[in-house]
């Protein structure tokens, strides 16, 4: 009766006995879709013939250059994506069982093989390997999700804000990169003197390494604020942390820092190679600074950053954000929003409403971190 192999496979047969190899080949030819078979006699030949197209390996564990589980371990190492089916003799059944425990998908006793049994064993081995690989991928995805969660919790701290006179809102959204983490970070800390310190930063690049660096910089910033270190001294310390922790010398970080005075009527800012904050006061929407205070961190070792003194008044709203917002593509002609477009959009809305703003922008091409601080009535 014809054996069933529903798909055309590419198999590698590792067998030093000509008779046994001929038997396996003849039995597999009886399948509905006979597989393409490459026959080798040793592990040494295997290394030359084993390619990514090989889907299943049939291996005899008595070979000229390796025997038993040692031979299997080498095959498994050489073919991590292929199903492995072990061939044994009657007296080596215990070796077959041990081989399955060691990582093979199945084993067959040579004396018991017929066309149907062999085709079924190959098919079973293939399905089991697919299940094993899917399980490994799932475990890896779960571990990645847990690690991402830990990193995100570091990037998104609980603000240390004790005043009821300010309303504080944040948003952190991934861009079209999908699940890739980015180095965007934000934080807010109110010190005992009543000053409110805010930072929004962006480590260039995407991935766990950049996210971890963002966490390190965010924690360093909070620590320095709580220790009373601000201004250029803080920025130089953050620059030193960045240079010590980054994985490549071309990685830099932009950020915007604002310190709001205890009376909440004035702010001192440093825009470090970063998009300028947007301020709404006295019914006017404006950009805090057309030019940054200085270059990003991690580029010039002797950089200096000028202070931006910003009067706020009694009622105001101030938004610090990363470039994911102004690099969003909007409109019929798919143009970048830009800083001017952002200001026009806020003017059209009449105020800074983060949810409405983000909904209008739509799909983000880059990750976005936003801090909105407001004083006065809604």
């Amino acid at each position: 009766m014809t054996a069933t192999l529903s798909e055309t496979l590419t198999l590698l047969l590792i067998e030093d006995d000509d008779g046994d190899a001929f038997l396996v080949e003849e039995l597999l030819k009886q399948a509905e879709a006979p597989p393409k078979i490459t026959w080798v006699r040793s592990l040494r030949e295997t290394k030359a013939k084993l390619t990514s197209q090989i889907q299943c390996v049939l291996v005899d564990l008595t070979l000229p250059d390796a025997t038993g589980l040692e031979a299997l371990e080498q095959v498994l190492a050489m073919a991590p994506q292929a199903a492995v089916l072990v061939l044994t003799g009657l007296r080596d059944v215990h070796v077959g069982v041990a081989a399955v425990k060691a990582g093979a998908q199945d084993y067959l006793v040579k004396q018991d093989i017929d066309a149907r049994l062999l085709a079924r064993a190959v098919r079973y081995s293939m399905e089991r390997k697919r299940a094993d690989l899917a399980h490994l991928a799932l475990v890896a995805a779960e571990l990645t999700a847990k690690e991402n969660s830990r990193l995100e919790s570091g990037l998104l701290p609980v603000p240390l804000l004790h005043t009821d006179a300010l309303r504080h809102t944040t948003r952190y959204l991934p861009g079209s990169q999908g699940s890739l983490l980015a180095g965007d970070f934000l934080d807010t800390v109110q010190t005992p003197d009543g000053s409110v310190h805010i930072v929004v930063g962006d480590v260039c690049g995407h991935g766990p390494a950049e996210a971890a660096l963002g966490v390190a910089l965010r924690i360093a910033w909070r620590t320095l604020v709580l220790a009373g270190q601000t201004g250029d001294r803080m920025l130089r310390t953050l620059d030193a942390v960045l240079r010590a922790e980054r994985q490549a010398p071309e990685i830099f970080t932009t950020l915007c820092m604002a310190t709001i005075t205890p009376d909440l009527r004035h702010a001192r800012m440093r825009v470090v190679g970063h998009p300028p904050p947007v301020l709404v006061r006295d019914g006017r929407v404006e950009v805090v600074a057309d030019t940054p205070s200085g270059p990003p961190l991690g580029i010039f070792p002797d950089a200096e950053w000028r202070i931006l003194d910003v009067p706020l008044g009694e009622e105001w709203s101030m938004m610090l954000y990363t470039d994911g917002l102004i690099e969003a593509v909007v409109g019929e002609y798919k143009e970048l929003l830009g800083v001017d477009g952002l200001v026009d959009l806020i003017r059209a809305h009449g105020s800074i409403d983060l949810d409405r703003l983000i909904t209008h922008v739509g799909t983000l091409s880059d990750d976005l971190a936003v801090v909105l601080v407001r004083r006065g009535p809604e």
Side-chain angles (χ1 to χ4, degrees):
M1 186 176 293
T2 303
T4 301
L5 264 175
S6 58
E7 56 181 310
T8 302
L9 305 176
T10 302
L11 307 183
L12 179 68
L13 173 61
I14 311 173
E15 173 62 75
D16 65 330
D17 185 283
D18 292 358
D20 288 344
F22 177 78
L23 173 63
V24 171
E25 288 182 324
E26 289 300 310
L27 292 175
L28 288 174
K29 287 179 181 178
Q30 299 179 40
E32 288 182 357
K36 178 182 177 182
I37 304 172
T38 300
W39 172 28
V40 296
R41 293 177 171 83
S42 66
L43 290 181
R44 186 168 148 186
E45 289 183 44
T46 299
K47 293 178 182 178
K49 297 293 185 179
L50 190 56
T51 67
S52 59
Q53 282 72 43
I54 300 296
Q55 299 161 282
C56 184
V57 178
L58 284 71
V59 56
D60 176 24
L61 297 186
T62 305
L63 300 171
D65 48 358
T67 59
L69 295 183
E70 177 189 354
L72 174 63
E73 289 172 0
Q74 294 189 49
V75 171
L76 292 173
M78 288 188 287
Q81 301 298 315
V84 177
L85 178 60
V86 169
L87 303 175
T88 71
L90 280 174
R91 291 177 294 182
D92 299 321
V93 174
H94 64 286
V95 176
V97 174
V100 172
K101 291 182 180 179
Q105 274 61 60
D106 202 355
Y107 76 95
L108 285 175
V109 178
K110 293 179 182 179
Q111 289 82 354
D112 295 338
I113 294 177
D114 59 29
R116 177 179 290 277
L117 177 62
L118 181 57
R120 186 175 63 185
V122 169
R123 186 170 60 251
Y124 169 78
S125 297
M126 294 282 296
E127 292 302 323
R128 183 174 178 185
K129 184 62 178 181
R130 286 172 183 154
D132 290 345
L133 292 175
H135 177 70
L136 290 174
L138 179 60
V139 171
E142 290 175 348
L143 290 175
T144 299
K146 290 178 181 178
E147 183 63 21
N148 287 354
S149 178
R150 284 193 291 270
L151 288 172
E152 286 173 353
S153 66
L155 293 166
L156 304 174
V158 176
L160 300 179
L161 193 60
H162 313 298
T163 179
D164 294 330
L166 291 179
R167 291 191 297 282
H168 180 273
T169 310
T170 64
R171 294 291 184 273
Y172 193 99
L173 299 173
S176 59
Q177 301 285 339
S179 61
L180 284 180
L181 288 172
D184 293 18
F185 59 93
L186 55 86
D187 204 352
T188 302
V189 173
Q190 187 171 19
T191 46
D193 67 349
S195 299
V196 177
H197 306 266
I198 305 169
V199 68
V200 170
D202 184 2
V203 179
C204 69
H206 292 83
E210 288 75 10
L213 182 54
V215 172
L217 292 173
R218 201 276 303 166
I219 293 174
W221 180 88
R222 175 174 281 205
T223 302
L224 292 168
V225 169
L226 293 174
Q229 189 175 127
T230 58
D232 280 9
R233 186 179 177 187
M234 170 195 274
L235 288 174
R236 291 193 180 94
T237 304
L238 291 177
D239 184 81
V241 172
L242 169 65
R243 293 173 187 273
E245 297 294 332
R246 65 187 177 184
Q247 293 188 345
E250 64 271 14
I251 293 178
F252 63 89
T253 297
T254 69
L255 59 85
C256 180
M257 298 193 311
T259 297
I260 303 171
T261 56
D263 62 4
L264 307 181
R265 297 173 55 89
H266 192 88
R268 292 165 64 86
M269 296 187 186
R270 286 173 175 81
V271 181
V272 182
H274 199 79
V278 175
L279 180 64
V280 179
R281 58 184 174 181
D282 300 326
R284 300 193 310 272
V285 183
E286 55 191 291
V287 176
V288 169
D290 292 331
T291 58
S293 303
L297 302 180
I299 297 180
F300 303 112
D302 55 351
E304 295 183 356
W305 301 273
R306 66 187 178 93
I307 300 171
L308 305 176
D309 289 309
V310 183
L312 297 176
E314 291 292 336
E315 298 180 9
W316 49 267
S317 299
M318 183 168 61
M319 181 175 69
L320 286 67
Y321 55 92
T322 54
D323 58 7
L325 182 58
I326 57 175
E327 291 179 357
V329 176
V330 297
E332 180 182 354
Y333 300 103
K334 304 297 181 182
E335 298 176 340
L336 292 181
L337 178 63
V339 176
D340 292 340
L342 175 62
V343 170
D344 291 342
L345 193 56
I346 294 172
R347 284 175 180 156
H349 291 168
S351 64
I352 304 178
D353 183 327
L354 289 187
D355 291 332
R356 186 179 179 187
L357 185 64
I358 293 170
T359 300
H360 183 95
V361 168
T363 302
L364 300 172
S365 61
D366 197 1
D367 299 272
L368 169 64
V370 183
V371 175
L372 173 62
V373 183
R374 191 193 311 270
R375 185 189 185 205
E378 198 65 49

